[in-house]
Amino acid sequence: LAYVLFTSGSTGRPKGVMVSHGAILNRLFWGQSCYPLTEKDAFLQKTPYSFDVSVPEFFHPLLAGARMIIAEPDGHRDGAYLIDLIRKHHVTSVHFVPSMLQIFLENSGAHSCTSIRRVTCSGEALSYDLQERFFSVMSADLLNLYGPTEAAVEVTYWDCVRESGRTDVPIGYPVANT
């Protein structure tokens, strides 16, 4: 056992989800293999530790020797604060749930976050319209991940492609060993 997170999932009733050390290591090593970070990267940690997305935010940069930029408590709710933090620390990688990405992109300063190389989305469905809005504002790569808490955060991935001709954003392919 690596950790227990409480989630209501689709039932609306809280339950403890036990995640194994091997499962989270698989997710982290897959992420580093396919979307590597280096000591030159800065990863924004802004998700409260009670949510599963915080696990790769905490451990992927540490696994790779990248810098971890830690947002102040509740800083994830303030788009202007996040933009200032990203610019000040030259953040290269960040995760957003799609509803938060929408708020981030609505801020007029989002386009100035030019250090960002990759934005990862998970936790909610990523709409085609939001993908296109992202590509109109940012020059970074956009990655769509999907998975339940029970499966060590995410189990599928999709690389969003500019001008692909698709009008949807699939959940994609299974990550390694899933």
Side-chain angles (χ1 to χ4, degrees):
L1 182 65
Y3 59 87
V4 175
L5 284 179
F6 283 83
T7 180
S8 60
S10 59
T11 67
R13 296 182 52 176
K15 63 180 177 185
V17 174
M18 299 183 295
V19 179
S20 73
H21 189 253
I24 195 58
L25 279 178
N26 185 71
R27 164 57 183 85
L28 291 168
F29 287 141
W30 166 82
Q32 181 61 12
S33 171
C34 293
Y35 304 99
L37 295 174
T38 72
E39 69 280 353
K40 295 178 182 177
D41 285 302
F43 198 104
L44 180 60
Q45 197 295 312
K46 55 165 184 40
T47 304
Y49 64 84
S50 57
F51 293 97
D52 64 351
V53 169
S54 69
V55 175
E57 281 186 353
F58 280 119
F59 294 107
H60 190 173
L62 296 176
L63 175 74
R67 291 180 297 130
M68 182 178 11
I69 308 306
I70 302 174
E72 63 186 33
D74 289 325
H76 67 285
R77 301 178 191 274
D78 183 346
Y81 164 75
L82 290 178
I83 287 169
D84 287 342
L85 195 64
I86 289 166
R87 290 190 329 215
K88 178 181 178 183
H89 294 284
H90 307 284
V91 169
T92 60
S93 191
V94 64
H95 176 277
F96 287 112
V97 295
S99 55
M100 184 183 245
L101 178 61
Q102 179 73 41
I103 292 167
F104 175 79
L105 294 173
E106 288 171 357
N107 190 304
S108 62
H111 73 280
S112 68
C113 295
T114 57
S115 62
I116 296 177
R117 292 186 304 111
R118 180 181 309 115
V119 171
T120 303
C121 277
S122 69
E124 302 166 353
L126 177 60
S127 71
Y128 171 77
D129 290 340
L130 183 55
Q131 172 192 268
E132 295 306 296
R133 173 78 176 128
F134 174 85
F135 286 142
S136 74
V137 173
M138 307 289 296
S139 62
D141 293 336
L142 181 61
L143 175 64
N144 186 41
L145 299 177
Y146 167 79
T149 299
E150 293 85 348
V153 192
E154 297 112 357
V155 293
T156 67
Y157 69 99
W158 179 260
D159 292 308
C160 298
V161 178
R162 295 172 192 277
E163 302 174 16
S164 70
R166 292 190 74 103
T167 57
D168 63 345
V169 182
I171 62 170
Y173 304 102
V175 305
N177 302 311
T178 61

PDB file of all heavy atoms in Angstrom, residues 95-123:
ATOM      1  N   HIS A  95      -0.543  20.757 -14.757  1.00  0.00           N
ATOM      2  CA  HIS A  95      -1.753  19.954 -14.902  1.00  0.00           C
ATOM      3  C   HIS A  95      -2.961  20.818 -14.550  1.00  0.00           C
ATOM      4  O   HIS A  95      -2.929  21.568 -13.582  1.00  0.00           O
ATOM      5  CB  HIS A  95      -1.713  18.742 -13.958  1.00  0.00           C
ATOM      6  CG  HIS A  95      -2.982  17.955 -14.011  1.00  0.00           C
ATOM      7  ND1 HIS A  95      -4.100  18.301 -13.298  1.00  0.00           N
ATOM      8  CD2 HIS A  95      -3.317  16.854 -14.724  1.00  0.00           C
ATOM      9  CE1 HIS A  95      -5.062  17.443 -13.565  1.00  0.00           C
ATOM     10  NE2 HIS A  95      -4.610  16.554 -14.424  1.00  0.00           N
ATOM     11  N   PHE A  96      -4.014  20.684 -15.347  1.00  0.00           N
ATOM     12  CA  PHE A  96      -5.285  21.344 -15.067  1.00  0.00           C
ATOM     13  C   PHE A  96      -6.419  20.359 -15.283  1.00  0.00           C
ATOM     14  O   PHE A  96      -6.390  19.590 -16.249  1.00  0.00           O
ATOM     15  CB  PHE A  96      -5.543  22.510 -16.038  1.00  0.00           C
ATOM     16  CG  PHE A  96      -4.709  23.723 -15.826  1.00  0.00           C
ATOM     17  CD1 PHE A  96      -3.752  24.085 -16.766  1.00  0.00           C
ATOM     18  CD2 PHE A  96      -4.880  24.526 -14.722  1.00  0.00           C
ATOM     19  CE1 PHE A  96      -2.988  25.219 -16.602  1.00  0.00           C
ATOM     20  CE2 PHE A  96      -4.116  25.673 -14.540  1.00  0.00           C
ATOM     21  CZ  PHE A  96      -3.173  26.020 -15.481  1.00  0.00           C
ATOM     22  N   VAL A  97      -7.433  20.403 -14.409  1.00  0.00           N
ATOM     23  CA  VAL A  97      -8.693  19.783 -14.793  1.00  0.00           C
ATOM     24  C   VAL A  97      -9.271  20.723 -15.845  1.00  0.00           C
ATOM     25  O   VAL A  97      -8.998  21.932 -15.827  1.00  0.00           O
ATOM     26  CB  VAL A  97      -9.652  19.570 -13.598  1.00  0.00           C
ATOM     27  CG1 VAL A  97      -9.079  18.568 -12.612  1.00  0.00           C
ATOM     28  CG2 VAL A  97     -10.006  20.864 -12.923  1.00  0.00           C
ATOM     29  N   PRO A  98     -10.041  20.215 -16.796  1.00  0.00           N
ATOM     30  CA  PRO A  98     -10.523  21.078 -17.876  1.00  0.00           C
ATOM     31  C   PRO A  98     -11.258  22.338 -17.422  1.00  0.00           C
ATOM     32  O   PRO A  98     -11.062  23.416 -18.006  1.00  0.00           O
ATOM     33  CB  PRO A  98     -11.422  20.143 -18.687  1.00  0.00           C
ATOM     34  CG  PRO A  98     -10.731  18.818 -18.542  1.00  0.00           C
ATOM     35  CD  PRO A  98     -10.301  18.804 -17.093  1.00  0.00           C
ATOM     36  N   SER A  99     -12.070  22.256 -16.378  1.00  0.00           N
ATOM     37  CA  SER A  99     -12.781  23.464 -15.921  1.00  0.00           C
ATOM     38  C   SER A  99     -11.791  24.519 -15.432  1.00  0.00           C
ATOM     39  O   SER A  99     -12.005  25.727 -15.623  1.00  0.00           O
ATOM     40  CB  SER A  99     -13.802  23.121 -14.839  1.00  0.00           C
ATOM     41  OG  SER A  99     -13.188  22.430 -13.767  1.00  0.00           O
ATOM     42  N   MET A 100     -10.697  24.097 -14.830  1.00  0.00           N
ATOM     43  CA  MET A 100      -9.674  25.037 -14.385  1.00  0.00           C
ATOM     44  C   MET A 100      -8.868  25.571 -15.571  1.00  0.00           C
ATOM     45  O   MET A 100      -8.481  26.744 -15.591  1.00  0.00           O
ATOM     46  CB  MET A 100      -8.753  24.358 -13.379  1.00  0.00           C
ATOM     47  CG  MET A 100      -7.721  25.255 -12.789  1.00  0.00           C
ATOM     48  SD  MET A 100      -6.676  24.295 -11.689  1.00  0.00           S
ATOM     49  CE  MET A 100      -7.102  25.087 -10.169  1.00  0.00           C
ATOM     50  N   LEU A 101      -8.611  24.721 -16.569  1.00  0.00           N
ATOM     51  CA  LEU A 101      -7.935  25.180 -17.776  1.00  0.00           C
ATOM     52  C   LEU A 101      -8.755  26.270 -18.451  1.00  0.00           C
ATOM     53  O   LEU A 101      -8.208  27.269 -18.927  1.00  0.00           O
ATOM     54  CB  LEU A 101      -7.690  24.017 -18.735  1.00  0.00           C
ATOM     55  CG  LEU A 101      -7.032  24.376 -20.068  1.00  0.00           C
ATOM     56  CD1 LEU A 101      -5.649  24.995 -19.865  1.00  0.00           C
ATOM     57  CD2 LEU A 101      -6.942  23.153 -20.971  1.00  0.00           C
ATOM     58  N   GLN A 102     -10.071  26.108 -18.486  1.00  0.00           N
ATOM     59  CA  GLN A 102     -10.955  27.114 -19.076  1.00  0.00           C
ATOM     60  C   GLN A 102     -10.774  28.463 -18.380  1.00  0.00           C
ATOM     61  O   GLN A 102     -10.603  29.497 -19.033  1.00  0.00           O
ATOM     62  CB  GLN A 102     -12.415  26.661 -18.964  1.00  0.00           C
ATOM     63  CG  GLN A 102     -13.414  27.645 -19.533  1.00  0.00           C
ATOM     64  CD  GLN A 102     -13.398  27.684 -21.039  1.00  0.00           C
ATOM     65  OE1 GLN A 102     -13.304  26.647 -21.683  1.00  0.00           O
ATOM     66  NE2 GLN A 102     -13.493  28.865 -21.617  1.00  0.00           N
ATOM     67  N   ILE A 103     -10.761  28.458 -17.057  1.00  0.00           N
ATOM     68  CA  ILE A 103     -10.581  29.693 -16.289  1.00  0.00           C
ATOM     69  C   ILE A 103      -9.202  30.292 -16.549  1.00  0.00           C
ATOM     70  O   ILE A 103      -9.057  31.498 -16.739  1.00  0.00           O
ATOM     71  CB  ILE A 103     -10.815  29.424 -14.788  1.00  0.00           C
ATOM     72  CG1 ILE A 103     -12.293  29.091 -14.549  1.00  0.00           C
ATOM     73  CG2 ILE A 103     -10.363  30.600 -13.936  1.00  0.00           C
ATOM     74  CD1 ILE A 103     -12.586  28.513 -13.186  1.00  0.00           C
ATOM     75  N   PHE A 104      -8.192  29.440 -16.584  1.00  0.00           N
ATOM     76  CA  PHE A 104      -6.829  29.894 -16.856  1.00  0.00           C
ATOM     77  C   PHE A 104      -6.758  30.582 -18.221  1.00  0.00           C
ATOM     78  O   PHE A 104      -6.192  31.669 -18.350  1.00  0.00           O
ATOM     79  CB  PHE A 104      -5.875  28.698 -16.810  1.00  0.00           C
ATOM     80  CG  PHE A 104      -4.462  29.014 -17.183  1.00  0.00           C
ATOM     81  CD1 PHE A 104      -3.605  29.620 -16.276  1.00  0.00           C
ATOM     82  CD2 PHE A 104      -3.968  28.696 -18.441  1.00  0.00           C
ATOM     83  CE1 PHE A 104      -2.297  29.909 -16.610  1.00  0.00           C
ATOM     84  CE2 PHE A 104      -2.662  28.978 -18.786  1.00  0.00           C
ATOM     85  CZ  PHE A 104      -1.819  29.592 -17.876  1.00  0.00           C
ATOM     86  N   LEU A 105      -7.348  29.968 -19.242  1.00  0.00           N
ATOM     87  CA  LEU A 105      -7.287  30.520 -20.594  1.00  0.00           C
ATOM     88  C   LEU A 105      -8.099  31.803 -20.744  1.00  0.00           C
ATOM     89  O   LEU A 105      -7.815  32.624 -21.621  1.00  0.00           O
ATOM     90  CB  LEU A 105      -7.761  29.486 -21.616  1.00  0.00           C
ATOM     91  CG  LEU A 105      -6.873  28.259 -21.769  1.00  0.00           C
ATOM     92  CD1 LEU A 105      -7.531  27.237 -22.690  1.00  0.00           C
ATOM     93  CD2 LEU A 105      -5.481  28.634 -22.267  1.00  0.00           C
ATOM     94  N   GLU A 106      -9.098  31.994 -19.896  1.00  0.00           N
ATOM     95  CA  GLU A 106      -9.903  33.217 -19.947  1.00  0.00           C
ATOM     96  C   GLU A 106      -9.147  34.416 -19.399  1.00  0.00           C
ATOM     97  O   GLU A 106      -9.512  35.557 -19.660  1.00  0.00           O
ATOM     98  CB  GLU A 106     -11.217  33.022 -19.192  1.00  0.00           C
ATOM     99  CG  GLU A 106     -12.178  32.107 -19.927  1.00  0.00           C
ATOM    100  CD  GLU A 106     -13.398  31.732 -19.112  1.00  0.00           C
ATOM    101  OE1 GLU A 106     -13.506  32.127 -17.929  1.00  0.00           O
ATOM    102  OE2 GLU A 106     -14.259  31.019 -19.670  1.00  0.00           O
ATOM    103  N   ASN A 107      -8.086  34.173 -18.646  1.00  0.00           N
ATOM    104  CA  ASN A 107      -7.270  35.256 -18.113  1.00  0.00           C
ATOM    105  C   ASN A 107      -6.408  35.820 -19.239  1.00  0.00           C
ATOM    106  O   ASN A 107      -5.744  35.074 -19.955  1.00  0.00           O
ATOM    107  CB  ASN A 107      -6.397  34.734 -16.965  1.00  0.00           C
ATOM    108  CG  ASN A 107      -5.711  35.846 -16.217  1.00  0.00           C
ATOM    109  OD1 ASN A 107      -4.992  36.648 -16.800  1.00  0.00           O
ATOM    110  ND2 ASN A 107      -5.949  35.889 -14.928  1.00  0.00           N
ATOM    111  N   SER A 108      -6.404  37.125 -19.370  1.00  0.00           N
ATOM    112  CA  SER A 108      -5.679  37.752 -20.483  1.00  0.00           C
ATOM    113  C   SER A 108      -4.169  37.499 -20.435  1.00  0.00           C
ATOM    114  O   SER A 108      -3.491  37.649 -21.445  1.00  0.00           O
ATOM    115  CB  SER A 108      -5.955  39.255 -20.509  1.00  0.00           C
ATOM    116  OG  SER A 108      -5.491  39.856 -19.314  1.00  0.00           O
ATOM    117  N   GLY A 109      -3.642  37.087 -19.298  1.00  0.00           N
ATOM    118  CA  GLY A 109      -2.208  36.842 -19.182  1.00  0.00           C
ATOM    119  C   GLY A 109      -1.770  35.443 -19.554  1.00  0.00           C
ATOM    120  O   GLY A 109      -0.572  35.158 -19.596  1.00  0.00           O
ATOM    121  N   ALA A 110      -2.709  34.557 -19.849  1.00  0.00           N
ATOM    122  CA  ALA A 110      -2.351  33.164 -20.145  1.00  0.00           C
ATOM    123  C   ALA A 110      -1.377  33.065 -21.310  1.00  0.00           C
ATOM    124  O   ALA A 110      -0.445  32.261 -21.280  1.00  0.00           O
ATOM    125  CB  ALA A 110      -3.595  32.333 -20.422  1.00  0.00           C
ATOM    126  N   HIS A 111      -1.563  33.875 -22.321  1.00  0.00           N
ATOM    127  CA  HIS A 111      -0.685  33.812 -23.501  1.00  0.00           C
ATOM    128  C   HIS A 111       0.763  34.162 -23.175  1.00  0.00           C
ATOM    129  O   HIS A 111       1.671  33.806 -23.913  1.00  0.00           O
ATOM    130  CB  HIS A 111      -1.210  34.746 -24.604  1.00  0.00           C
ATOM    131  CG  HIS A 111      -0.992  36.187 -24.285  1.00  0.00           C
ATOM    132  ND1 HIS A 111      -1.815  36.890 -23.423  1.00  0.00           N
ATOM    133  CD2 HIS A 111      -0.028  37.037 -24.675  1.00  0.00           C
ATOM    134  CE1 HIS A 111      -1.359  38.130 -23.309  1.00  0.00           C
ATOM    135  NE2 HIS A 111      -0.282  38.244 -24.053  1.00  0.00           N
ATOM    136  N   SER A 112       0.979  34.844 -22.040  1.00  0.00           N
ATOM    137  CA  SER A 112       2.343  35.243 -21.669  1.00  0.00           C
ATOM    138  C   SER A 112       3.108  34.148 -20.932  1.00  0.00           C
ATOM    139  O   SER A 112       4.275  34.336 -20.587  1.00  0.00           O
ATOM    140  CB  SER A 112       2.298  36.513 -20.808  1.00  0.00           C
ATOM    141  OG  SER A 112       1.718  36.237 -19.544  1.00  0.00           O
ATOM    142  N   CYS A 113       2.485  33.009 -20.706  1.00  0.00           N
ATOM    143  CA  CYS A 113       3.140  31.888 -20.022  1.00  0.00           C
ATOM    144  C   CYS A 113       3.906  31.056 -21.051  1.00  0.00           C
ATOM    145  O   CYS A 113       3.618  29.872 -21.281  1.00  0.00           O
ATOM    146  CB  CYS A 113       2.107  31.055 -19.269  1.00  0.00           C
ATOM    147  SG  CYS A 113       1.317  31.936 -17.922  1.00  0.00           S
ATOM    148  N   THR A 114       4.891  31.667 -21.650  1.00  0.00           N
ATOM    149  CA  THR A 114       5.609  31.051 -22.775  1.00  0.00           C
ATOM    150  C   THR A 114       6.610  29.976 -22.357  1.00  0.00           C
ATOM    151  O   THR A 114       7.112  29.259 -23.226  1.00  0.00           O
ATOM    152  CB  THR A 114       6.324  32.131 -23.595  1.00  0.00           C
ATOM    153  OG1 THR A 114       7.210  32.855 -22.730  1.00  0.00           O
ATOM    154  CG2 THR A 114       5.320  33.090 -24.231  1.00  0.00           C
ATOM    155  N   SER A 115       6.892  29.860 -21.065  1.00  0.00           N
ATOM    156  CA  SER A 115       7.815  28.806 -20.621  1.00  0.00           C
ATOM    157  C   SER A 115       7.149  27.432 -20.631  1.00  0.00           C
ATOM    158  O   SER A 115       7.829  26.404 -20.658  1.00  0.00           O
ATOM    159  CB  SER A 115       8.338  29.110 -19.215  1.00  0.00           C
ATOM    160  OG  SER A 115       7.263  29.145 -18.282  1.00  0.00           O
ATOM    161  N   ILE A 116       5.821  27.390 -20.622  1.00  0.00           N
ATOM    162  CA  ILE A 116       5.109  26.106 -20.561  1.00  0.00           C
ATOM    163  C   ILE A 116       5.319  25.322 -21.849  1.00  0.00           C
ATOM    164  O   ILE A 116       5.047  25.813 -22.936  1.00  0.00           O
ATOM    165  CB  ILE A 116       3.602  26.319 -20.308  1.00  0.00           C
ATOM    166  CG1 ILE A 116       3.372  26.962 -18.943  1.00  0.00           C
ATOM    167  CG2 ILE A 116       2.853  24.979 -20.401  1.00  0.00           C
ATOM    168  CD1 ILE A 116       1.922  27.278 -18.649  1.00  0.00           C
ATOM    169  N   ARG A 117       5.811  24.086 -21.696  1.00  0.00           N
ATOM    170  CA  ARG A 117       5.995  23.166 -22.829  1.00  0.00           C
ATOM    171  C   ARG A 117       4.843  22.183 -22.941  1.00  0.00           C
ATOM    172  O   ARG A 117       4.510  21.727 -24.010  1.00  0.00           O
ATOM    173  CB  ARG A 117       7.273  22.339 -22.667  1.00  0.00           C
ATOM    174  CG  ARG A 117       8.568  23.066 -22.771  1.00  0.00           C
ATOM    175  CD  ARG A 117       9.771  22.117 -22.752  1.00  0.00           C
ATOM    176  NE  ARG A 117       9.830  21.231 -21.587  1.00  0.00           N
ATOM    177  CZ  ARG A 117       9.652  19.908 -21.618  1.00  0.00           C
ATOM    178  NH1 ARG A 117       9.399  19.279 -22.735  1.00  0.00           N
ATOM    179  NH2 ARG A 117       9.726  19.198 -20.527  1.00  0.00           N
ATOM    180  N   ARG A 118       4.264  21.820 -21.771  1.00  0.00           N
ATOM    181  CA  ARG A 118       3.226  20.786 -21.770  1.00  0.00           C
ATOM    182  C   ARG A 118       2.175  21.102 -20.719  1.00  0.00           C
ATOM    183  O   ARG A 118       2.491  21.409 -19.574  1.00  0.00           O
ATOM    184  CB  ARG A 118       3.823  19.424 -21.471  1.00  0.00           C
ATOM    185  CG  ARG A 118       2.811  18.292 -21.455  1.00  0.00           C
ATOM    186  CD  ARG A 118       3.424  16.930 -21.136  1.00  0.00           C
ATOM    187  NE  ARG A 118       4.568  16.654 -21.989  1.00  0.00           N
ATOM    188  CZ  ARG A 118       5.827  16.530 -21.535  1.00  0.00           C
ATOM    189  NH1 ARG A 118       6.086  16.654 -20.273  1.00  0.00           N
ATOM    190  NH2 ARG A 118       6.804  16.269 -22.381  1.00  0.00           N
ATOM    191  N   VAL A 119       0.917  20.954 -21.140  1.00  0.00           N
ATOM    192  CA  VAL A 119      -0.215  21.035 -20.222  1.00  0.00           C
ATOM    193  C   VAL A 119      -0.920  19.685 -20.273  1.00  0.00           C
ATOM    194  O   VAL A 119      -1.216  19.170 -21.354  1.00  0.00           O
ATOM    195  CB  VAL A 119      -1.184  22.169 -20.599  1.00  0.00           C
ATOM    196  CG1 VAL A 119      -2.450  22.103 -19.767  1.00  0.00           C
ATOM    197  CG2 VAL A 119      -0.499  23.528 -20.426  1.00  0.00           C
ATOM    198  N   THR A 120      -1.157  19.128 -19.109  1.00  0.00           N
ATOM    199  CA  THR A 120      -1.851  17.856 -18.985  1.00  0.00           C
ATOM    200  C   THR A 120      -3.232  18.120 -18.413  1.00  0.00           C
ATOM    201  O   THR A 120      -3.363  18.904 -17.469  1.00  0.00           O
ATOM    202  CB  THR A 120      -1.082  16.909 -18.057  1.00  0.00           C
ATOM    203  OG1 THR A 120       0.235  16.740 -18.572  1.00  0.00           O
ATOM    204  CG2 THR A 120      -1.767  15.569 -17.931  1.00  0.00           C
ATOM    205  N   CYS A 121      -4.238  17.484 -18.984  1.00  0.00           N
ATOM    206  CA  CYS A 121      -5.612  17.573 -18.475  1.00  0.00           C
ATOM    207  C   CYS A 121      -6.085  16.197 -18.063  1.00  0.00           C
ATOM    208  O   CYS A 121      -5.817  15.212 -18.754  1.00  0.00           O
ATOM    209  CB  CYS A 121      -6.553  18.113 -19.549  1.00  0.00           C
ATOM    210  SG  CYS A 121      -6.548  19.890 -19.686  1.00  0.00           S
ATOM    211  N   SER A 122      -6.796  16.144 -16.956  1.00  0.00           N
ATOM    212  CA  SER A 122      -7.500  14.927 -16.534  1.00  0.00           C
ATOM    213  C   SER A 122      -8.493  15.323 -15.466  1.00  0.00           C
ATOM    214  O   SER A 122      -8.557  16.475 -15.054  1.00  0.00           O
ATOM    215  CB  SER A 122      -6.529  13.861 -16.015  1.00  0.00           C
ATOM    216  OG  SER A 122      -5.953  14.246 -14.795  1.00  0.00           O
ATOM    217  N   GLY A 123      -9.285  14.362 -15.028  1.00  0.00           N
ATOM    218  CA  GLY A 123     -10.240  14.613 -13.956  1.00  0.00           C
ATOM    219  C   GLY A 123     -11.635  14.942 -14.454  1.00  0.00           C
ATOM    220  O   GLY A 123     -12.610  14.799 -13.717  1.00  0.00           O
TER     221      GLY A 123
END
